[in-house]
């Protein structure tokens, strides 16, 4: 039985460390290759909204550092991990949707939003589903871009491994990780070779938007995680890859 090499693209903080630990616990060999880095904008969300929406751990930490106060707003988190981060930052969480996606949060709030002011505080690559969905429900929506997501310098080891046929699986957690993977491959003159290498690997993604982005750019996708969480993605990708990737 040979090692199952799995590329993971999480930011280079505890999220990457946790991902590596999880993959190792599943018997895989992680190929950590961060494809996202945070550049804070120093913007502060509005404090006069009826609903305040936070979509990430990074966003929760940045609003806390800025001294933002939600006032009487109903504070919404897009999923339980974001909710945990919001609570650690010192805020109460009022709403977490049953489905941990932008559309899930829209569905959870839609009946309450007619005429309401909604503040959405997130990255520069947030899904348009939140804004359009809230507006369609009758809300007045304001977006604050808390941070930009950029590709770290030096990323691309996974692209080299894929091009060399040395990658068994890859876990893409967002459209941007797929886009940055291909940019890193192109910087090395290996874009087509890396795509070909992924065809022989098992590619798992979180969410339909990520699947669509990958497919549009030529990356074959083998599975969409059953839940929008990295642990589900990792387990299901490893499980799918193991029968064909191990002797």
């Amino acid at each position: 039985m040979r090692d199952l090499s799995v590329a993971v693209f999480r930011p280079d903080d505890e999220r990457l460390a946790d991902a590596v630990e999880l993959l190792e616990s599943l018997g895989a060999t992680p190929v950590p290759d961060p494809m996202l880095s945070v550049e804070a904008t120093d913007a502060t969300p509005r404090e006069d909204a009826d609903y305040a929406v936070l979509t990430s751990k990074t966003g929760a930490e940045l609003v806390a550092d800025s001294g933002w106060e939600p006032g009487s707003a109903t504070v919404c988190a897009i999923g339980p991990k974001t909710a945990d981060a919001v609570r650690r930052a010192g805020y109460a969480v009022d709403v977490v949707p049953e489905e941990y996606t932008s559309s899930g949060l829209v569905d959870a709030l839609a009946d309450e939003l007619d005429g309401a002011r909604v503040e959405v505080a997130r990255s520069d690559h947030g899904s348009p589903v939140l804004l359009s969905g809230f507006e369609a429900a009758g809300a007045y929506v304001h977006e604050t871009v808390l941070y930009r997501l950029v590709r770290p310098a030096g990323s691309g080891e996974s692209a080299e491994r894929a091009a060399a046929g040395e990658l068994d699986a890859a876990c893409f957690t967002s459209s941007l990780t797929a886009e940055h993977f291909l940019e890193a491959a192109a910087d090395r003159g290996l874009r087509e070779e890396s795509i070909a290498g992924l065809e022989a690997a098992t590619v798992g993604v979180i969410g339909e938007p990520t699947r669509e982005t990958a497919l549009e750019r030529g990356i074959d996708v083998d599975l969409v995680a059953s839940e929008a969480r990295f642990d589900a993605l990792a387990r299901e990708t490893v499980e799918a890859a193991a029968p064909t990737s191990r002797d």
Side-chain angles (χ1 to χ4, degrees):
M1 182 182 293
R2 66 185 181 85
D3 288 337
L4 184 74
S5 58
V6 182
V8 57
F9 309 113
R10 310 226 72 186
D12 192 9
D13 53 25
E14 69 273 11
R15 285 168 289 186
L16 185 64
D18 290 347
V20 166
E21 183 178 356
L22 173 59
L23 287 168
E24 289 176 341
S25 75
L26 295 172
T29 299
V31 180
D33 193 7
M35 288 292 169
L36 298 176
S37 182
V38 172
E39 286 185 354
T41 64
D42 298 325
T44 302
R46 293 178 60 167
E47 298 184 342
D48 60 350
D50 299 305
Y51 292 82
V53 176
L54 295 166
T55 64
S56 69
K57 170 183 178 293
T58 299
E61 293 170 348
L62 288 174
V63 296
D65 290 344
S66 75
W68 173 74
E69 293 293 340
S72 60
T74 297
V75 177
C76 311
I78 204 163
K81 289 195 174 182
T82 300
D84 289 344
V86 173
R87 294 186 186 101
R88 287 196 300 271
Y91 305 104
V93 177
D94 302 298
V95 176
V96 181
E98 292 184 8
E99 179 186 335
Y100 312 144
T101 64
S102 295
S103 58
L105 185 55
V106 169
D107 290 343
L109 298 177
D111 293 340
E112 309 172 17
L113 295 183
D114 191 21
R117 292 169 297 179
V118 179
E119 173 69 10
V120 179
R122 59 183 185 174
S123 81
D124 63 330
H125 282 83
S127 166
V129 170
L130 272 184
L131 306 188
S132 62
F134 291 157
E135 289 171 350
Y140 301 98
V141 183
H142 180 266
E143 179 185 30
T144 298
V145 175
L146 299 172
Y147 58 99
R148 300 182 184 90
L149 291 169
V150 299
R151 180 165 61 88
S155 59
E157 178 190 350
S158 59
E160 294 183 357
R161 295 278 292 270
E166 298 173 354
L167 197 65
D168 296 306
C171 295
F172 291 102
T173 52
S174 66
S175 292
L176 201 55
T177 56
E179 292 169 0
H180 284 179
F181 171 89
L182 293 176
E183 288 177 10
D187 283 352
R188 288 160 172 73
L190 296 170
R191 190 179 191 278
E192 297 307 318
E193 293 87 344
S194 295
I195 291 174
L198 289 181
E199 289 179 3
T202 299
V203 175
V205 303
I206 287 180
E208 283 299 320
T210 307
R211 185 186 71 85
E212 292 171 6
T213 297
L215 291 175
E216 287 169 0
R217 288 157 177 76
I219 298 175
D220 285 341
V221 175
D222 297 287
L223 66 95
V224 178
S226 61
E227 298 179 61
R229 305 193 331 265
F230 181 79
D231 57 345
L233 173 64
R235 293 178 190 280
E236 291 166 18
T237 301
V238 168
E239 183 177 353
T244 56
S245 297
R246 298 186 180 193
D247 298 330

